[in-house]
Amino acid sequence: MTETTFKYSFKSPIRENLSLAVYNTGYQRCEAGYCWGPALRDHYLIHYVVSGKGKYSVEGKEFEISAGEIFLVYPSTIISYTADKKDPWEYYWVGFNGTEAKRLIGMTAFERERPVIDYSANSDLKRLLFNIYSSRGAETKNEALMLGRLYIFLARLIELGGKDQIEDTLGKRYLKQAIQFISHNYSNNIDVEEIAASAGISRSHLYRIFMSELGMAPSDYLTQYRVNKACTLLHESKFTVTEVASSVGYEDALYFSRVFKRIKGASPTKYLHEEKVKTEEDNGIDQSGYF
């Protein structure tokens, strides 16, 4: 007798947390031969196979995957995965991204040459992934709970075989201090000199660390952080553009609007309107998932 297929998924409408954000989460028992790709994702995506088997293809390599194994999809990488025709898999997943994502994944046992790991002896991973899904919702409290449970899941992967002691270099510690300073002071009139001073290093040293670890200058990170915080305020409050600008460290609302448009491609007012339309379309057309 063939087992019934099913899919339960949630796609978050909120992706403005620059540090880390859950993009999607769910679980699925696939039909025989079900395939996704070849295509790419704009975020990290982890699948944990709880039964059945399938194949994962990435960068010219093909991996046979069975129950108890996890496979990781890296952003902007062409991949495909296919359920077995005789014993199709059931898996739980979480998709996420942000500047913290690369660092956290780097602390696990995953590597680009090793995107599949056998965790068959650790049954709690299924529960931890389901906990993320069970926290789903579009409200701020759901976003916070999903994010908290994502951290717990990633911490478990690190605990099971991570490289945190190896990867936690002095540069990464400086980076962490700088990012924490930004997150606590972005609403004030801070600059790169103050950010560097908070980490106890020079401005040029800070620049090299940010470019090496994040691929952007500290000033660009600060700007993007502020704009993303502004997006959250526009989503969740009735503040005027001037009030939002002041709340994220810009005294000049017109300058803030120009910066916002440069980053988001639209003015704050137009951006908010487009996001509302997009959310309404998503809710009306596709509430089932992201495949």
Side-chain angles (χ1 to χ4, degrees):
M1 180 177 178
T2 303
E3 289 189 282
T4 302
T5 61
F6 57 75
K7 177 180 178 181
Y8 298 93
S9 65
F10 173 76
K11 180 169 62 176
S12 175
I14 302 173
R15 299 185 177 189
E16 305 301 346
N17 187 325
L18 191 61
S19 298
L20 194 66
V22 175
Y23 278 30
N24 45 66
T25 178
Y27 58 103
Q28 179 177 6
R29 180 180 296 154
C30 299
E31 61 186 26
Y34 171 84
C35 180
W36 191 92
L40 54 81
R41 305 286 192 184
D42 65 349
H43 55 277
Y44 291 91
L45 182 63
I46 291 177
H47 285 82
Y48 177 55
V49 179
V50 298
S51 66
K53 55 186 178 180
K55 294 181 179 180
Y56 175 42
S57 299
V58 53
E59 298 181 330
K61 298 180 181 179
E62 186 173 87
F63 300 86
E64 299 276 351
I65 299 176
S66 57
E69 292 184 299
I70 280 185
F71 63 97
L72 170 65
V73 175
Y74 286 87
S76 304
T77 304
I78 300 295
I79 58 95
S80 66
Y81 43 93
T82 307
D84 188 76
K85 293 182 178 180
K86 293 184 179 180
D87 186 16
W89 51 21
E90 176 186 341
Y91 49 52
Y92 287 65
W93 78 80
V94 62
F96 56 94
N97 213 343
T99 54
E100 276 285 276
K102 180 180 179 181
R103 184 181 71 85
L104 291 168
I105 287 296
M107 293 165 62
T108 70
F110 287 112
E111 297 177 356
R112 283 194 173 271
E113 298 76 21
R114 188 195 181 199
V116 179
I117 300 176
D118 184 358
Y119 284 125
S120 56
N122 300 281
S123 58
D124 61 334
L125 295 179
K126 173 182 175 180
R127 174 181 57 82
L128 295 177
L129 283 168
F130 181 76
N131 285 346
I132 300 173
Y133 172 76
S134 66
S135 308
R136 66 194 183 280
E139 296 182 21
T140 303
K141 63 180 181 181
N142 300 110
E143 179 193 12
L145 193 53
M146 285 193 299
L147 182 57
R149 289 177 171 176
L150 172 61
Y151 272 114
I152 291 173
F153 171 70
L154 294 174
R156 181 60 173 146
L157 292 184
I158 294 169
E159 181 183 29
L160 290 172
K163 305 186 292 292
D164 53 322
Q165 296 302 317
I166 298 174
E167 295 294 332
D168 189 19
T169 63
L170 187 59
K172 285 184 170 60
R173 287 199 292 273
Y174 288 144
L175 178 67
K176 182 178 179 180
Q177 287 176 274
I179 288 175
Q180 285 180 338
F181 180 80
I182 291 171
S183 68
H184 294 156
N185 297 277
Y186 69 90
S187 61
N188 300 320
N189 186 27
I190 60 172
D191 57 23
V192 176
E193 291 287 355
E194 291 176 274
I195 297 171
S198 74
I201 55 178
S202 68
R203 178 172 179 159
S204 59
H205 192 180
L206 183 73
Y207 177 84
R208 289 194 297 272
I209 291 171
F210 266 77
M211 292 301 298
S212 173
E213 298 296 330
L214 304 181
M216 68 175 74
S219 58
D220 293 332
Y221 180 94
L222 175 61
T223 298
Q224 290 193 29
Y225 193 96
R226 283 170 162 165
V227 168
N228 280 284
K229 286 294 184 181
C231 287
T232 301
L233 289 175
L234 290 168
H235 274 300
E236 299 175 359
S237 71
K238 296 181 180 180
F239 292 158
T240 65
V241 172
T242 298
E243 290 169 335
V244 169
S246 178
S247 298
V248 296
Y250 291 92
E251 297 180 1
D252 186 335
L254 290 178
Y255 177 68
F256 163 73
S257 294
R258 289 198 296 271
V259 172
F260 189 99
K261 185 175 182 179
R262 175 167 58 84
I263 299 297
K264 293 298 180 180
S267 67
T269 303
K270 185 177 180 181
Y271 171 84
L272 182 59
H273 173 72
E274 290 176 348
E275 288 297 302
K276 286 182 178 178
V277 171
K278 189 186 302 181
T279 300
E280 290 170 358
E281 289 176 348
D282 287 343
N283 289 338
I285 296 174
D286 177 19
Q287 298 183 32
S288 62
Y290 65 98
F291 284 93

